[in-house]
Amino acid sequence: MQQNSIFDLSSEERQELGAYLLGQIDYYLSHTDEVDVSPELNLDSIVQHARKFSFDHPIPAREAIDHTIEGLMQYQVHTPHPRYFGLFNPRPNFMGIIADMITAAYNPQLAAWSHAPIAVEIENYVWKEFASKFGFHDEHSDGTFTTGGAEANLTALLTALMHHFPEYARKGLIGINRKPILYASAESHHSLVKAARSCGLGTDSIHLIQTNASLQMDTKILEKQIEEDRSNGLYPFMVVATGGTTGAGAIDPIHDIADLANREKLWLHVDAAYGGAALFDPGLFERLHGIHRADSITFDAHKWLSVPMGAGIYLTRHKDILNKTFSITADYMPKEGGDLETNDPYTHSIQWSRRFIGLKVYLSLLTAGWEGYRKMIQHQVAMGNLLRKELIKSNWTIMNDTVFPVVCFTDSNRHVSSDPDFVPYIGNQIVRSGQAWISIYGMNKTQTLRACITNYDTTEQDVMVLVELLNRARNEFLENKQTNASVALVEKPE
């Protein structure tokens, strides 16, 4: 086979570069804990590195690889680091990395079933397994892989509209004579805002429901809001429960919300993008009681299942709703296999041309199995419990109530914790140290420090390092406050 020397390179060059790149990746994975978790944010230096080479003058492939790796090593938050205690961005497992390499090389096009039948059927197998684990019956369920939770939540909104307003696909919102209203917790993910904007509903269509002391949706307030909206001529059609909020890991009372949704004829969507991984542990999964009653579910494998971004999944117990929402005919699309009982992915999802998203989940499950993931989830929960225990011993107060390894906390001394400078100072000191990364989250009008275990390699030692850094930063803050107060007294005029 004749090959293009610029784009294909030679066989020898491909093998040499492949071996070299795998070596670089192996070194990074083996020594991730030795790099600073967060970079110095020097905009000029970062832009200068990105623009170091001109496209007018091509450079050797290995030099291009080195340049890219150097930039990533120096200028990114290293989410694979065992002391990255931040958002739901875990260390990707190696089989997930391999899957993305395979996908890039073979480049299957999943728009039409006949173009990539094995890839489509692998994805079908994976989402059906998850649907079964969540309690959906196989003969009635449907699903699709998405780019992430945002697309899955948008898909849920569109399918809910189609379910309630069958003419929506043809007439749009203008064909609906009453304003559709959806409900979500005040702690729900902001992707719902984007979804409402994207489909034309607008953000005023989202009625956010207050939460209780544990940051769970208050079902009594929800019920009153639905009644009030109906009396005002609005059309409630959907409620979104969250199975593990981004901020504090709160789990809405899904079973109670399902009861209310059933009475009020609302589409129940459960955003379990993070917390859905509880299905791997029977004890944890009990906290999602009622999720099997949902009309649809969002689940992100790239969160707690530790595969490379992005790998979202939309699941539904309504067999035909995806096709009703997205079905379309295009003469130019392949027709092979048209007589088979299959679905072309482009006819029942938002995406058209599409990457083989599910392979990273498939290979990870093939090699780790349900049991391997159960142990991983349990390990991270144990590290979260250890962090709570050590924080309490060091006079920090845990502010959130969740079984997930998401810990929101502040100083036990109310005089200290109420200082508006305290939490930002501690957070900045931890991040600037380069030794760990945590975030800041406001809950119940109180600023808290937030640390989440996202890494299967995080150890007890990593947890202890974080606690030590926090205690040191707190001591520095108190010393600075005392020094400033003393200076102020000395300088105060008589």
Side-chain angles (χ1 to χ4, degrees):
M1 174 180 173
Q2 186 175 359
Q3 295 174 327
N4 187 301
S5 61
I6 296 178
F7 293 106
D8 273 346
L9 307 182
S10 68
S11 176
E12 292 77 12
E13 288 174 312
R14 290 198 298 267
Q15 292 185 50
E16 179 185 346
L17 283 173
Y20 177 71
L21 177 58
L22 278 176
Q24 295 297 305
I25 293 173
D26 176 69
Y27 182 86
Y28 176 64
L29 295 178
S30 301
H31 300 273
T32 315
D33 59 343
E34 297 175 11
V35 302
D36 285 348
V37 184
S38 53
E40 179 183 352
L41 298 180
N42 185 315
L43 179 59
D44 290 340
S45 297
I46 296 169
V47 171
Q48 184 178 2
H49 186 90
R51 301 180 180 182
K52 180 177 180 179
F53 298 105
S54 168
F55 302 135
D56 292 328
H57 305 287
I59 61 175
R62 182 160 170 170
E63 186 177 356
I65 291 173
D66 286 340
H67 169 68
T68 302
I69 291 176
E70 179 186 350
L72 290 172
M73 289 293 289
Q74 190 171 357
Y75 299 121
Q76 76 160 38
V77 172
H78 290 278
T79 56
H81 198 290
R83 290 194 299 278
Y84 172 79
F85 298 100
L87 309 178
F88 304 132
N89 302 313
R91 178 183 179 90
N93 72 77
F94 191 68
M95 290 308 293
I97 295 171
I98 290 294
D100 268 358
M101 294 175 68
I102 294 172
T103 296
Y106 286 86
N107 203 30
Q109 164 58 287
L110 270 68
W113 182 90
S114 62
H115 258 46
I118 186 60
V120 175
E121 291 307 322
I122 282 174
E123 288 200 345
N124 287 343
Y125 174 43
V126 173
W127 71 249
K128 285 180 180 179
E129 286 290 299
F130 279 114
S132 177
K133 292 284 186 181
F134 279 119
F136 287 177
H137 295 295
D138 182 66
E139 64 271 20
H140 300 302
S141 64
D142 200 359
T144 181
F145 272 85
T146 67
T147 53
E151 184 192 335
N153 283 341
L154 174 56
T155 300
L157 180 50
L158 293 172
T159 51
L161 283 169
M162 179 61 63
H163 177 77
H164 278 272
F165 312 105
E167 294 296 309
Y168 168 71
R170 187 170 62 87
K171 294 182 178 180
L173 294 178
I174 198 171
I176 302 174
N177 58 11
R178 285 192 289 164
K179 183 176 178 60
I181 298 296
L182 66 135
Y183 306 90
S185 156
E187 292 288 310
S188 61
H189 196 270
H190 289 85
S191 61
L192 292 174
V193 174
K194 284 190 174 184
R197 290 175 179 171
S198 299
C199 73
L201 279 174
T203 52
D204 286 348
S205 67
I206 306 175
H207 286 184
L208 296 178
I209 306 303
Q210 294 178 23
T211 57
N212 59 23
S214 297
L215 300 183
Q216 300 168 309
M217 184 189 294
D218 190 314
T219 54
K220 291 183 178 179
I221 295 177
L222 171 62
E223 187 171 15
K224 289 180 180 178
Q225 186 65 57
I226 294 170
E227 181 181 355
E228 179 182 332
D229 289 343
R230 288 198 194 281
S231 66
N232 289 331
L234 304 177
Y235 193 117
F237 77 101
M238 180 183 189
V239 58
V240 180
T242 306
T245 59
T246 301
I251 304 169
D252 287 333
I254 300 172
H255 184 70
D256 294 341
I257 296 172
D259 284 342
L260 183 56
N262 185 56
R263 290 198 306 270
E264 297 291 340
K265 302 296 188 291
L266 305 183
W267 180 282
L268 172 59
H269 177 66
V270 177
D271 183 353
Y274 166 64
L279 63 81
F280 287 93
D281 180 86
L284 279 185
F285 194 47
E286 290 178 0
R287 304 303 181 102
L288 299 180
H289 177 56
I291 195 169
H292 67 285
R293 301 173 63 190
D295 293 286
S296 57
I297 298 171
T298 284
F299 177 54
D300 275 353
H302 63 253
K303 287 189 167 70
W304 214 350
L305 297 197
S306 298
V307 301
M309 295 186 190
I313 305 175
Y314 166 90
L315 300 169
T316 179
R317 60 183 174 90
H318 297 271
K319 184 70 174 178
D320 299 323
I321 195 64
L322 283 170
N323 276 333
K324 288 180 180 178
T325 305
F326 300 111
S327 181
I328 194 169
T329 301
D331 291 339
Y332 52 82
M333 292 301 291
K335 301 297 187 293
E336 304 96 318
D339 296 332
L340 301 175
E341 293 184 7
T342 61
N343 272 319
D344 286 328
Y346 83 94
T347 67
H348 77 307
S349 71
I350 292 174
Q351 299 178 65
W352 201 292
S353 296
R354 185 160 79 66
R355 182 178 174 85
F356 188 7
I357 299 171
L359 182 60
K360 63 190 84 175
V361 187
Y362 180 70
L363 288 188
S364 299
L365 278 170
L366 282 181
T367 53
W370 300 115
E371 177 64 13
Y373 269 109
R374 183 186 67 81
K375 291 179 179 178
M376 184 194 78
I377 297 296
Q378 289 183 339
H379 168 73
Q380 293 188 44
V381 169
M383 292 300 99
N385 291 335
L386 174 65
L387 176 59
R388 292 185 186 93
K389 176 183 175 182
E390 293 300 324
L391 287 171
I392 292 171
K393 283 172 58 177
S394 295
N395 296 318
W396 297 89
T397 295
I398 309 303
M399 300 295 289
N400 64 324
D401 178 21
T402 182
V403 293
F404 295 146
V406 183
V407 187
C408 298
F409 58 98
T410 188
D411 191 81
S412 297
N413 187 320
R414 184 170 296 181
H415 177 71
V416 176
S417 62
S418 62
D419 189 319
D421 296 329
F422 177 67
V423 167
Y425 178 88
I426 302 299
N428 288 334
Q429 288 297 102
I430 300 301
V431 172
R432 288 173 58 187
S433 74
Q435 297 182 60
W437 199 98
I438 61 175
S439 56
I440 295 173
Y441 184 66
M443 49 181 293
N444 295 328
K445 298 181 180 180
T446 300
Q447 287 284 82
T448 69
L449 297 159
R450 177 187 178 279
C452 178
I453 312 297
T454 68
N455 193 319
Y456 50 79
D457 274 348
T458 296
T459 64
E460 293 184 7
Q461 181 180 358
D462 293 312
V463 171
M464 299 306 295
V465 168
L466 174 61
V467 174
E468 182 181 344
L469 290 170
L470 289 164
N471 292 339
R472 185 188 309 162
R474 178 174 57 186
N475 289 338
E476 292 173 356
F477 176 83
L478 295 175
E479 289 172 3
N480 291 340
K481 281 288 181 178
Q482 186 174 12
T483 300
N484 292 337
S486 300
V487 171
L489 286 174
V490 171
E491 294 179 348
K492 183 177 180 180
E494 297 182 3

